[in-house]
Amino acid sequence: MQSHRSVKEEIKQVADIVQAIGQFVQLKKAGRNFTGLCPFHAEKDPSFNVSPDRQMFHCFGCKKGGDIFAFWMEYHGLTFPEALKDLADRYNVQIPDRFSPSEEKKRSRLRETLLKINESAAQYFQRALTKGGRGNPAADYLKKRGITGDIISEFRLGWAPDSWDGITGYLRRQDTDMERAAKAGLIVNRKGGGYYDRFRGRIMFPIINLRGQVVGFGGRVLDDSLPKYLNTPETPVFHKGEFPYGLNASFRAIREKGTAVIVEGYMDLLALRRHGLDQVVATLGTALTPQHIRRIKGYAREALVVFDSDEAGIEAALRSLPLFLNEGLPARAVVLPEGHDPDSFVNREGLPRFMELLNRASPMFDFFLEQKLSRSGTDIEEKVRVLKEILPALSQLHNEAQRTLYAGRVSERIGIKEEVVLSELNSFRRNRSENTLERNLKGRVGRTETDKKIGDIQLLNLLVHHPGTVEALRDSGCGALISNRTVSKAVAYIFHKQEENGPVSLEGLVGDVEDEDVRIQLREVMLAESIYPEQEVDQAVMEIMEKARQKRLSDSVKEIRDDPEALNDLLLKLRDRNRC
Ligand SMILES: [Zn+2]
């Protein structure tokens, strides 16, 4: 019978990790590897590496890494069996049966059930929208707002009738496990027992993930009653702020155009789509989150964020600047004329006028600066306060010319001398960069001349990139030369595997290493370039063997220093050796 492991191997044979990850992260070729901005932590410079040779990924920043399964689990928030099933479906590999530990199995079963219930609910809401034709308040509402049938079916819009027992009755008739349906957030436990509908009298927007599954719903009222939006609560399959609404429908257009237009509401998104702007996502009525931006930057080179011109809208824009700077995604702020949202604007003025607004949008930083300045007073304390607020944002600009330019602008606008702004800025940056430098030194494996002096990493690099040396060095005692404990364990692991199985290829084995630090260490060395070119390998091996010999010798000298007889023996031995 086919085992779990062989299914995994089969998927690895047919799936290409660069292509698989490339769907979600913009990757650029860099030497033998591909690099991109890490989807798992905030960063401005790419430290996320994918190796086609090794079929593995590794982030030198947050240390996440592994094979295609590790990526799938981390990115989509799945258990191993779920990732296995997902990838098996995707690459047409048959899974005979499940072999997962029971806890994981339980969790993934629960999620599978919730997704099924959501799917069934989505179909119920969709039918409720088309039922009754004219006179159906939701259908009339959408029609009045100009939302066409195409969009209704593409986004699977629906209607939750204004009833306490609509979806509840439907699910019961379907023999659904009602406790599970409550867990999915569709129905609510009644105090005296039983259940009632959570969404009543609302247009339903299924929230669909990048794998095409309905993970939750947003419901919007037809009138001005509150709350205007009601979302599925946190469930095992839905996490608020995890990804922007509409990304599943828009990511191709976003990738094609290179820009993502970010709006707040569902209706804003649909209105723009209706007018032919496809590269748009919505934040589900919540503030932008780092997760939103991390998802978007997998497809976009720039974000255009559309804000309302009211106080709350401006505040939201100001708060979003550090998020964009942290994630390294350039962004511009689009502020609509007073009293408008994207929906009302595009419907009244048309798409060309909306595009004009987009084209005129200022970079988020300029917007930030102007807003901060326009709100400040003129006395000295006020000026210093504004400068303090601006420095963190200013210091995050990549480009020195750009920083100097902005420093000049800040100086002009606040009326503080440019030298003063620049020197404040530099001292702010110095404090920060000391931390960064330290991080980089810890994380990266360089390849400079001085690195060739044989140390821990060099030895490990040699073993990994020139497997022929493993045999030669295994019995040399070179393990004693290593001072770093993690490297020492990694080297021991390689020797052990060689002893067990003969010449090893590490690709498949790294996943079996239990010690997380050792796994990370091995991945980093595997993704790093080889330090020694082929013609220097023999020399390096000799040097290591010689060093190991000396180390053995000096260790034994230490041991026998207090034992005159043994010392005498040793001296005789050394004399004999020097003679020949
Ligand atoms: Zn990372």
Side-chain angles (χ1 to χ4, degrees):
M1 196 181 70
Q2 214 181 1
S3 74
H4 214 163
R5 183 170 273 272
S6 74
V7 173
K8 192 175 164 184
E9 288 314 312
E10 205 177 326
I11 292 171
K12 279 184 160 185
Q13 299 270 316
V14 287
D16 173 46
I17 196 167
V18 175
Q19 185 266 337
I21 294 181
Q23 296 168 55
F24 305 102
V25 180
Q26 294 190 51
L27 295 172
K28 264 201 210 108
K29 189 123 179 51
R32 282 166 31 238
N33 297 341
F34 289 79
T35 62
L37 293 173
C38 178
F40 305 124
H41 84 281
E43 65 172 0
K44 290 172 280 184
D45 302 309
S47 46
F48 182 81
N49 278 256
V50 185
S51 160
D53 307 342
R54 310 272 187 189
Q55 286 292 305
M56 60 169 18
F57 75 99
H58 181 76
C59 174
F60 285 89
C62 67
K63 309 291 177 196
K64 293 217 160 86
D67 58 12
I68 186 170
F69 296 94
F71 179 84
W72 216 256
M73 287 160 69
E74 187 75 35
Y75 191 80
H76 296 297
L78 302 175
T79 60
F80 177 72
E82 288 171 310
L84 189 75
K85 185 167 181 302
D86 218 32
L87 288 166
D89 287 349
R90 206 167 260 253
Y91 293 103
N92 294 315
V93 173
Q94 293 276 325
I95 302 187
D97 196 5
R98 304 278 178 66
F99 301 83
S100 47
S102 62
E103 248 333 284
E104 276 199 354
K105 203 184 258 175
K106 254 211 267 175
R107 262 200 301 159
S108 74
R109 280 242 178 90
L110 172 63
R111 282 215 290 244
E112 224 168 273
T113 310
L114 299 191
L115 290 170
K116 263 196 202 126
I117 295 173
N118 280 343
E119 175 56 38
S120 152
Q123 290 176 17
Y124 166 84
F125 293 134
Q126 278 180 286
R127 277 197 297 275
L129 179 63
T130 46
K131 210 161 64 187
R134 239 174 234 233
N136 179 321
D140 290 347
Y141 175 88
L142 289 171
K143 189 155 185 229
K144 211 165 66 206
R145 303 288 294 260
I147 304 302
T148 59
D150 286 354
I151 288 184
I152 290 175
S153 61
E154 183 180 5
F155 285 85
R156 305 190 62 188
L157 304 190
W159 165 242
D162 200 359
S163 145
W164 296 88
D165 194 41
I167 187 80
T168 306
Y170 169 76
L171 291 173
R172 192 176 288 122
R173 287 194 297 280
Q174 303 282 309
D175 277 335
T176 309
D177 179 337
M178 298 306 272
E179 216 18 73
R180 294 281 156 95
K183 248 197 180 118
L186 287 159
I187 56 175
V188 183
N189 284 73
R190 219 182 257 287
K191 270 204 189 101
Y195 303 91
Y196 64 89
D197 293 12
R198 177 186 301 273
F199 299 98
R200 300 176 304 278
R202 288 173 184 269
I203 298 208
M204 298 301 285
F205 301 84
I207 299 163
I208 301 172
N209 68 14
L210 290 165
R211 296 150 68 225
Q213 298 159 324
V214 178
V215 294
F217 295 89
R220 186 198 194 283
V221 289
L222 300 182
D223 50 22
D224 288 330
S225 60
L226 293 169
K228 189 171 166 189
Y229 295 108
L230 182 67
N231 287 338
T232 296
E234 289 282 317
T235 76
V237 294
F238 179 71
H239 310 287
K240 194 176 153 204
E242 193 184 14
F243 53 73
Y245 176 73
L247 188 61
N248 63 304
S250 303
F251 76 91
R252 281 188 196 87
I254 292 173
R255 176 166 282 171
E256 219 169 86
K257 301 272 173 15
T259 55
V261 177
I262 304 174
V263 295
E264 199 190 321
Y266 304 91
M267 293 309 289
D268 297 326
L269 181 141
L270 298 183
L272 291 171
R273 292 284 297 218
R274 177 171 86 83
H275 284 270
L277 187 119
D278 288 342
Q279 63 277 29
V280 57
V281 293
T283 53
L284 291 175
T286 65
L288 265 171
T289 64
Q291 287 80 4
H292 285 148
I293 298 173
R294 239 165 265 169
R295 296 274 163 176
I296 292 168
K297 80 182 178 186
Y299 311 100
R301 289 187 300 276
E302 186 187 31
L304 289 157
V305 196
V306 185
F307 297 101
D308 295 350
S309 63
D310 60 8
E311 191 66 27
I314 303 287
E315 269 310 315
L318 295 182
R319 272 199 310 273
S320 75
L321 175 71
L323 298 182
F324 283 106
L325 291 175
N326 273 327
E327 297 293 339
L329 182 66
R332 288 191 282 156
V334 182
V335 179
L336 294 172
E338 227 171 295
H340 270 299
D341 55 31
D343 180 21
S344 67
F345 186 88
V346 75
N347 281 325
R348 175 150 357 141
E349 309 280 341
L351 188 62
R353 286 292 305 281
F354 185 76
M355 294 307 285
E356 266 172 46
L357 282 185
L358 294 190
N359 292 334
R360 282 209 310 266
S362 13
M364 200 67 87
F365 190 88
D366 295 56
F367 178 78
F368 182 88
L369 187 58
E370 288 312 314
Q371 287 295 326
K372 289 280 177 209
L373 291 172
S374 70
R375 291 161 174 219
S376 75
T378 48
D379 57 50
I380 296 283
E381 267 108 80
E382 276 279 281
K383 288 176 177 179
V384 173
R385 186 185 58 77
V386 172
L387 183 61
K388 286 238 161 75
E389 278 180 24
I390 289 172
L391 280 181
L394 197 57
S395 73
Q396 292 188 47
L397 289 168
H398 283 296
N399 182 296
E400 196 187 339
Q402 217 178 8
R403 276 197 311 272
T404 315
L405 197 79
Y406 278 115
R409 294 254 311 273
V410 172
S411 131
E412 216 169 90
R413 291 295 316 266
I414 318 190
I416 294 179
K417 273 190 188 155
E418 188 169 336
E419 300 96 86
V420 178
V421 176
L422 273 172
S423 98
E424 285 292 311
L425 176 61
N426 285 336
S427 81
F428 187 91
R429 280 174 56 79
R430 250 197 317 281
N431 287 338
R432 256 190 10 153
S433 71
E434 265 160 31
N435 299 335
T436 327
L437 186 68
E438 198 184 351
R439 244 196 354 254
N440 281 344
L441 283 177
K442 276 189 193 152
R444 291 195 187 255
V445 184
R447 203 168 58 119
T448 57
E449 269 310 306
T450 51
D451 280 339
K452 286 198 181 176
K453 233 178 72 195
I454 294 165
D456 295 356
I457 291 292
Q458 288 71 16
L459 172 57
L460 186 57
N461 185 289
L462 183 71
L463 294 171
V464 165
H465 288 275
H466 305 277
T469 61
V470 177
E471 180 88 70
L473 288 172
R474 200 178 67 207
D475 300 319
S476 69
C478 66
L481 298 171
I482 303 168
S483 52
N484 179 299
R485 276 190 53 210
T486 307
V487 174
S488 164
K489 281 188 197 164
V491 167
Y493 174 77
I494 292 175
F495 287 152
H496 171 72
K497 279 291 162 192
Q498 160 102 6
E499 202 155 29
E500 239 179 19
N501 314 332
V504 287
S505 96
L506 281 171
E507 278 78 7
L509 297 176
V510 174
D512 297 343
V513 180
E514 259 169 48
D515 189 322
E516 163 104 48
D517 290 339
V518 174
R519 264 202 317 270
I520 291 171
Q521 185 68 72
L522 281 168
R523 277 203 305 266
E524 296 202 341
V525 172
M526 285 164 79
L527 286 187
E529 301 280 327
S530 164
I531 294 174
Y532 302 96
E534 207 56 57
Q535 66 272 18
E536 290 178 24
V537 168
D538 287 346
Q539 176 66 27
V541 170
M542 305 253 291
E543 270 174 45
I544 291 169
M545 288 172 118
E546 175 56 22
K547 268 180 130 181
R549 196 185 62 79
Q550 284 169 7
K551 173 95 167 87
R552 269 202 311 277
L553 213 56
S554 76
D555 285 353
S556 48
V557 167
K558 261 182 226 145
E559 242 170 64
I560 58 182
R561 203 173 303 163
D562 304 323
D563 181 347
E565 218 161 296
L567 187 60
N568 205 32
D569 275 355
L570 180 72
L571 289 173
L572 284 172
K573 247 190 242 163
L574 280 178
R575 203 186 55 196
D576 289 348
R577 185 193 297 267
N578 287 341
R579 197 174 285 160
C580 53

